[in-house]
Amino acid sequence: MRIVIRLLLIGVFLIALVRAGLFLGNAWFTVGNPLDVYHLEAQMVHLAWRVQHDRVMYPEWHNDPHVMNVFGPLYFLLVGGIGRLLDSDLDGLYRIGRLISLGSALLASLIVGVASGSRGGKGAGIFAGLLTLGAAPLYGFGVMVRADLMADTLGIAGFLLAVGRASRWRYALGAFLLVAAIFTKQTMGLYLIAAVLAAMGTGRMRWGLTLAATAGAVTLAIIAAVTLTVEPLFARELFGAAETPILLTDWQRTLSRLWQLGPELPILALVGVVLWTVPRGLPERSLAVLAGVVLTGAIVLAMKSGSDLNYFLGLRLVAAMAGGAVWGWAVSLVRNPGPIRPGTAVLSIVGLVGLGASLLPSLDHSYAQYQSAQSIHGYFSTVGRPVLAQFRQIFELAEDPDIRLLTESGMVAAHQGDRAAFVDPWLFRILVETGKIEPAAIRERLESREYNYIITTKDLYDETDPYDTYGFGLPPELAEAARRNYTFAGVSAGLFLYVPRRSGEPSERE
């Protein structure tokens, strides 16, 4: 039985190792990608650009221009601040933001590895650290200009310090990091909730109440101070995500993708709850609370329209720690000099087989994503150079202050700087369709043909797949105004260009 368990441990370790290697390979090819690597990355770059150039971080988005910021400020302050020190252009901001996200992911792996190793031994720590890399939610978000990974890293570090060994400096640093996580991304309040509940549930009621009161007071004080001084809309916009409606079809799609690509995440989280709760298991009730709060919170928050697997980035850390606990338990069986009970041996074998099987979908996904990143890198390094040159020409057009241009391409809009009508096409369309934005100024410019160019990521005249059903396009009313007043001028770098229609020109694309 011990030989079988050892072989299974080697097997799951190799799966985790290969999966982590594929993610790091993917990251190597992705960091320098000259274009957006995932949906709406340009919006995040624009927010960092606003910091770099001393613009208001939380502008009034109801009026033109409609630039909305619903994120905490810390990540963009860091990216934009470094960009200012290095005098970076937009390409530089892309690289800085991606490296900070990747660095945050690697730091979280180290934190999880150390925490798991202190509980289950060095092998458990290494295994847990590897499990954090290659999880399905990392693809798209792991090497992207976006605040999620930095926020999760601050949150998990703050939680572990806040519920760890009794020490004033640990508690103080833990509370500080938990508040910092909230100001990086507001939903990271889940870690604060978990820390408070964990402290109260493990006999430290006084510390739990103190943490809740102190962190809450500091958070409110910072919001008030910033709102009353440098950012008048700060308080309102921190809750701006509430403007996005709940859409159950998106929720169902996100949960389905999670189960298809990363079933080990919810499975290991639930296994962890058992291992960390059962009296004869691992007495880590605080981690059981963390697993329950993060899993429940991720599922609930993913109800928001446009939800994606980034809501489960934190779950990968909890699942990895649970995987480390499973590893430590299995290794203790092997190393125990006494006989292994048949029932325990069967349970360990079934558990390790199940763990390996649950990792296979994400292993396959990791391989596919690695191949894709390698292919894209190879394309832009060779035959894709002319396409990249076309993108550069369009970006230069957008940067020209004498050119009036409307686009729903975030990459192009980011190059307009202050002149961009909006940079997040998906959110802009949602807010227009729900009546929270009235784009009167944009509509008037379209009707009077004031824009020199309209640039879209999909053909306005597409009959087989109508543009008006395209979630990242102009709202239907603006698209219709564009069709009435602009005519097709060509395709460049996969983008569709339109110029003002001359009198007598047909209203359909020829």
Side-chain angles (χ1 to χ4, degrees), residues 234 275 401 417 455 501:
F234 184 57
L275 286 175
I455 299 178
R501 189 182 304 281

Side-chain angles (χ1 to χ4, degrees), residues 25-26 28-30 32-34 370-386 388:
N26 173 279
W28 174 266
F29 291 121
T30 301
N33 191 318
Y370 168 80
Q371 285 188 310
S372 176
Q374 184 183 42
S375 175
I376 291 171
H377 174 79
Y379 174 75
F380 283 120
S381 300
T382 54
V383 296
R385 288 179 179 174
L388 190 58

Side-chain angles (χ1 to χ4, degrees), residues 101 108 110 142 145 162 290:
S101 291
L110 178 62
V145 184
L290 175 66

Side-chain angles (χ1 to χ4, degrees), residues 221-234:
I222 292 174
I223 292 174
V226 173
T227 302
L228 293 174
T229 54
V230 293
E231 291 285 348
L233 299 180
F234 184 57

